[in-house]
Amino acid sequence: MDLFELAILALIQGLTEFLPISSSAHLILPSKLLGWNDQGLTYDVAVHFGTLVAVVSYYRKTLFAMAKDICLNPRQAVAFPPKQSESPSTTAGDNIRLFQQVVLASIPVLAVGFFFHHWIEENLRSLLVIAFATIFFGVLLGFAEIYGRKKLPLKALTFRFAFIIGIAQALALIPGTSRSGITITAAMILGMKPSASAHFSFLLSIPTILAATVLQVIALVNQPEAFILTDLIFAGLISGVSAYITIALFIKLLGFAGMLPFVYYRLALGFILLFIIA
């Protein structure tokens, strides 16, 4: 691939990874509309690593606070559910609790991805599946926006709700679903505020993207690909910078625009994909 194509695909990855609009639905468009070649697994690793660095950088203060409190309270960190009385402070207890909820919610997608990712790759990566998933889960996001109570802050998240959101995240393995979209949808249906839903969704992305990257690296070890190091760095930087900006803007946008613009966008994109199929 030339640098222009690589830059566009890296930009698409960075912009769509954290928006509720499905990165897989967008990444398939250049190949279908413009006849571009697949960027290859090596470059997939680079752009995913870029988005991972972006979300870790954005939530660095939260992650540092989690790590600090876990180191100070290791016994509490491995206890499910935590006892608030064991925490030396409310803040420390909240950080450890949030860490445990992220771990708990990550289990379903990691388990399903580990056992079924080959089957999903072989059977669900069709344009038709992506189109219908884009539309269906867009409608579900609209339902959550219109009918969800959306009152609970992040501190009100329970372990039961966290696990339900984790189960919903496993559906994101279906191309066209959108990992951030389905987790935000589930959280809002459960009564979480849009901003709280987005924050938990983005924290959940860290172990998920990390696991996906590790699987890609393992695949590369078994079947090495030729690559140009400067191109890898170039793609990773573009995806990382664009992802960081997207996270920041999305959090601000939620305050006055809500989710409906993304619902309309998903519906339009889904029908465009169906038109391409037709």
Side-chain angles (χ1 to χ4, degrees), residues 143-198:
F143 175 85
E145 172 68 17
I146 296 171
Y147 296 104
R149 291 184 294 119
K150 301 179 294 183
K151 296 180 179 179
L152 300 177
L154 188 56
K155 289 183 179 181
L157 181 67
T158 64
F159 280 85
R160 182 166 63 90
F161 280 5
F163 190 66
I164 292 173
I165 295 170
I167 293 174
Q169 183 177 224
L171 294 174
L173 294 171
I174 302 172
T177 301
S178 171
R179 192 211 60 80
S180 62
I182 192 61
T183 50
I184 291 173
T185 297
M188 289 171 58
I189 290 176
L190 292 171
M192 303 293 294
K193 292 180 179 179
S195 58
S197 302

Side-chain angles (χ1 to χ4, degrees), residues 65-244:
M66 281 185 185
K68 178 182 177 182
D69 291 331
I70 289 170
C71 291
L72 293 175
N73 307 275
R75 293 181 61 185
Q76 183 182 349
V78 297
F80 279 89
K83 296 180 180 180
Q84 193 67 35
S85 59
E86 293 181 0
S87 174
S89 70
T90 302
T91 301
D94 289 342
N95 287 331
I96 292 176
R97 185 181 181 86
L98 181 58
F99 164 76
Q100 292 176 321
Q101 288 169 339
V102 169
V103 171
L104 180 65
S106 299
I107 293 174
V109 70
L110 296 180
V112 174
F114 181 80
F115 289 107
F116 296 103
H117 72 278
H118 289 302
W119 184 89
I120 292 170
E121 286 287 330
E122 294 172 0
N123 296 278
L124 297 182
R125 290 199 65 82
S126 70
L127 193 59
L128 187 63
V129 170
I130 292 174
F132 278 115
T134 300
I135 294 171
F136 176 78
F137 290 107
V139 172
L140 197 62
L141 178 62
F143 175 85
E145 172 68 17
I146 296 171
Y147 296 104
R149 291 184 294 119
K150 301 179 294 183
K151 296 180 179 179
L152 300 177
L154 188 56
K155 289 183 179 181
L157 181 67
T158 64
F159 280 85
R160 182 166 63 90
F161 280 5
F163 190 66
I164 292 173
I165 295 170
I167 293 174
Q169 183 177 224
L171 294 174
L173 294 171
I174 302 172
T177 301
S178 171
R179 192 211 60 80
S180 62
I182 192 61
T183 50
I184 291 173
T185 297
M188 289 171 58
I189 290 176
L190 292 171
M192 303 293 294
K193 292 180 179 179
S195 58
S197 302
H199 283 307
F200 189 65
S201 172
F202 293 157
L203 288 172
L204 268 183
S205 73
I206 296 174
T208 305
I209 296 175
L210 179 60
T213 304
V214 169
L215 284 177
Q216 290 172 331
V217 171
I218 293 173
L220 277 177
V221 171
N222 295 327
Q223 293 182 330
E225 293 179 350
F227 63 89
I228 301 174
L229 182 59
T230 53
D231 286 359
L232 287 183
I233 297 173
F234 177 69
L237 282 174
I238 290 180
S239 66
V241 172
S242 58
Y244 188 95

Side-chain angles (χ1 to χ4, degrees), residues 234-257:
F234 177 69
L237 282 174
I238 290 180
S239 66
V241 172
S242 58
Y244 188 95
I245 295 173
T246 299
I247 294 172
L249 292 179
F250 179 67
I251 296 295
K252 293 181 180 179
L253 183 65
L254 285 179
F256 60 90

